[in-house]
Amino acid sequence: MVIASLLSIPIIYGVPLLFVGLDDINMVRHFDHGESEIALGWLKAYTNGPLFSGNLDIYMAYPKFFYNLAGVVLYPLAMVSELDYKTIVITWRILNMIFAGLASIALFVLARCILQSTLAAYISALLLSITPEFLIWSSNVRPNPLEQLLIFLGLLGCLKILGKPTTKWFIVSTILTALAFATKFGSIPLALLIPLISIYCIWTKRTQKDEFTKLIKTYSTLFTICLPIAVFLGLLITILLSVSL
């Protein structure tokens, strides 16, 4: 019941607004200049493929994870039919309604772990889900709801690391943080939090020789494995960007 109610709030708010202002691109621009610019910029990308790099207003150039995630639907659709701005905007709005509901649920789980109270956690998540700005983003085309979802999940992973530092939760938290950063730049503080938590965990275990040694070996192994992978991915992305259409 709790999960269903949190998931339904952005959907109840967003469904009536799903087709608002889509009769003409100038109407979209009238309601939200950003929506029209983002939609027109990505229309060319979805039509030409994921390596296409078109002109986009620098103030509307968000990181690409959310929009490429929508591309799971929109790239194939553009191959079999003529894609227009309406389909793109509707797809983005639907995804944001879903991600906003999932973000509320993630906050509920996170708050329950911290507060140890289902009621307090539900109130926290409910207050977020009925916040006007949160509801606006849930019916918009910007990537804020997905970013918030990934941040809450990343913080949940950080709690798991604090409870019991393991390789699994370190990797999961790092991946979630990277995806949040690839969605929107507001997750930068979380990227700094994970290494600080890791240092804190190592510091608290300094008097326990076996645990301390185990943690040092774990993080050393992670660094040894992850550094070459990060360098490889960085080079790969650089090459892909250099040959983009």
Side-chain angles (χ1 to χ4, degrees):
M1 186 67 180
V2 169
I3 291 176
S5 64
L6 293 174
L7 186 61
S8 64
I9 290 173
I11 295 174
I12 292 171
Y13 177 84
V15 167
L17 302 174
L18 196 57
F19 302 97
V20 169
L22 295 183
D23 293 338
D24 183 82
I25 190 62
N26 291 316
M27 189 178 292
V28 179
R29 187 176 289 112
H30 171 74
F31 279 103
D32 187 334
H33 174 73
E35 281 198 329
S36 64
E37 294 303 312
I38 297 171
L40 290 176
W42 276 92
L43 176 59
K44 295 179 181 179
Y46 290 134
T47 304
N48 291 278
L51 294 182
F52 178 79
S53 179
N55 295 327
L56 193 66
D57 189 330
I58 188 64
Y59 298 107
M60 304 301 168
Y62 292 96
K64 296 183 176 182
F65 181 62
F66 170 75
Y67 301 105
N68 277 324
L69 195 60
V72 173
V73 175
L74 294 173
Y75 284 126
L77 191 60
M79 295 173 63
V80 299
S81 65
E82 186 175 350
L83 200 63
D84 61 5
Y85 74 90
K86 294 180 183 179
T87 305
I88 294 173
V89 172
I90 290 170
T91 302
W92 288 344
R93 288 178 178 178
I94 291 173
L95 286 175
N96 270 338
M97 284 189 287
I98 296 171
F99 289 138
L102 293 175
S104 298
I105 294 170
L107 177 60
F108 167 74
V109 176
L110 177 65
R112 187 170 60 178
C113 290
I114 295 173
L115 302 174
Q116 297 296 306
S117 169
T118 300
L119 178 60
Y122 180 65
I123 293 173
S124 302
L126 184 63
L127 288 174
L128 172 70
S129 65
I130 62 175
T131 301
E133 187 173 1
F134 180 81
L135 290 173
I136 289 171
W137 293 133
S138 72
S139 59
N140 200 270
V141 305
R142 291 170 178 80
N144 296 53
L146 178 58
E147 180 204 29
Q148 291 162 347
L149 169 62
L150 292 168
I151 286 175
F152 291 147
L153 292 177
L155 289 173
L156 189 60
C158 289
L159 280 181
K160 296 293 185 181
I161 294 174
L162 284 172
K164 185 178 180 181
T166 62
T167 302
K168 180 183 75 172
W169 284 113
F170 180 85
I171 293 175
V172 168
S173 300
T174 303
I175 291 174
L176 289 170
T177 301
L179 291 177
F181 183 76
T183 304
K184 201 167 180 284
F185 297 128
S187 58
I188 293 176
L190 182 59
L192 301 175
L193 186 61
I194 294 176
L196 291 175
I197 288 176
S198 300
I199 293 171
Y200 171 78
C201 290
I202 293 173
W203 178 257
T204 57
K205 299 292 184 182
R206 68 189 187 281
T207 58
Q208 304 173 30
K209 184 177 179 180
D210 292 338
E211 288 292 327
F212 180 76
T213 303
K214 183 179 178 181
L215 274 178
I216 292 295
K217 288 182 178 179
T218 298
Y219 282 112
S220 298
T221 303
L222 278 172
F223 182 79
T224 304
I225 295 173
C226 292
L227 183 59
I229 294 175
V231 172
F232 170 77
L233 291 176
L235 291 173
L236 179 62
I237 292 171
T238 302
I239 294 171
L240 290 176
L241 289 175
S242 67
V243 299
S244 62
L245 302 177

